[in-house]
Amino acid sequence: MLFIQKLEEPTFLTSYIKKHPTANYESESFRPFYHVLKSTLIKEQKGLCAYCCGPISMDNSHNEHIEPQHQKDGTYSRRSLDYDNIVASCNSASTCGSRKGNNYDEQRFVSPLQKGCEQRFSYDPDGYIRGDEYTISLLNLNSYRLRQARKAVFKMIMNMRNDDIRSAFCCDQEQYWPYSNVISWYLREKCD
Ligand SMILES: [Zn+2]
């Protein structure tokens, strides 16, 4: 997981809410904005899924509500249009937002919007993510596919010096390298 620094609420969203004070994310009038919202979020997250940090594009991601829109008790979240409750997640059916569905315990969930969230997890060279069990299991962050992807990143950086890793994988400020969570953890842990 990487901390997501939320930017200002985009102006299209501010004006929509002003014009439609009782609307929610599923309102017909909001549908035309799904696309622009997603593109704003992907840019904000520098091209990575909010949860697994895999690469995402417009075609393989969705607008993900951290507090689910449909609550377990059958009520509808009042935060469905709250910009600080929406991130972009990959569409993998077995991990991340799709896996999380409407299951969510606010007290236990480690959100990528929480400062310090990165310190709650560590990574093994075999690709496993360790740390907060509830969040790892809810998002299925130790799926075979994700372990393989992280293992490949480890393999790539393991014999490199920190400065070389930084200049090879951390220089683009607009777009993060896939699984940058592993890279930034490794750089924090390994002092050379
Ligand atoms: Zn993901």
Side-chain angles (χ1 to χ4, degrees):
M1 199 172 277
L2 285 175
F3 172 62
I4 298 168
Q5 179 69 60
K6 275 286 184 187
L7 306 172
E8 288 273 295
E9 180 182 76
T11 47
F12 78 84
L13 186 55
T14 313
S15 5
Y16 176 84
I17 294 169
K18 214 170 159 187
K19 219 166 142 190
H20 305 86
T22 57
N24 61 47
Y25 183 82
E26 288 176 338
S27 297
E28 202 53 45
S29 56
F30 190 67
R31 286 180 189 268
F33 295 99
Y34 282 6
H35 205 74
V36 62
L37 175 60
K38 186 157 76 167
S39 124
T40 308
L41 295 170
I42 293 175
K43 212 168 157 196
E44 187 171 71
Q45 294 166 212
K46 302 177 196 289
L48 300 188
C49 169
Y51 299 139
C52 71
C53 297
I56 50 171
S57 65
M58 289 299 286
D59 298 333
N60 67 1
S61 63
H62 64 275
N63 297 323
E64 153 76 9
H65 289 80
I66 293 186
E67 177 183 297
Q69 299 178 73
H70 299 275
Q71 312 270 299
K72 264 189 180 163
D73 61 5
T75 59
Y76 194 83
S77 168
R78 281 178 298 173
R79 300 194 64 200
S80 82
L81 284 178
D82 178 352
Y83 190 62
D84 287 337
N85 186 44
I86 313 172
V87 292
S89 164
C90 71
N91 280 347
S92 158
S94 60
T95 69
C96 304
S98 313
R99 165 78 174 214
K100 173 171 159 275
N102 292 335
N103 296 308
Y104 166 76
D105 180 340
E106 190 184 0
Q107 304 302 322
R108 298 169 74 196
F109 188 66
V110 179
S111 152
L113 304 184
Q114 288 168 9
K115 278 204 171 112
C117 62
E118 296 176 16
Q119 279 71 32
R120 305 281 299 273
F121 301 95
S122 64
Y123 302 90
D124 286 354
D126 61 4
Y128 276 94
I129 180 172
R130 311 276 179 201
D132 186 80
E133 297 272 345
Y134 172 78
T135 307
I136 291 172
S137 139
L138 184 64
L139 302 172
N140 194 23
L141 295 178
N142 273 325
S143 74
Y144 179 76
R145 184 183 60 81
L146 289 177
R147 278 188 282 126
Q148 291 304 106
R150 288 190 292 254
K151 202 170 157 180
V153 173
F154 255 108
K155 227 173 157 179
M156 204 165 61
I157 60 176
M158 246 164 126
N159 295 315
M160 291 174 74
R161 294 180 44 234
N162 280 9
D163 283 348
D164 296 335
I165 295 173
R166 276 190 203 96
S167 54
F169 306 111
C170 309
C171 48
D172 189 346
Q173 294 305 306
E174 304 290 311
Q175 191 85 8
Y176 283 154
W177 193 272
Y179 307 99
S180 277
N181 49 337
V182 176
I183 299 173
S184 69
W185 176 84
Y186 186 80
L187 288 171
R188 270 203 315 274
E189 289 298 302
K190 186 191 152 225
C191 310
D192 64 5

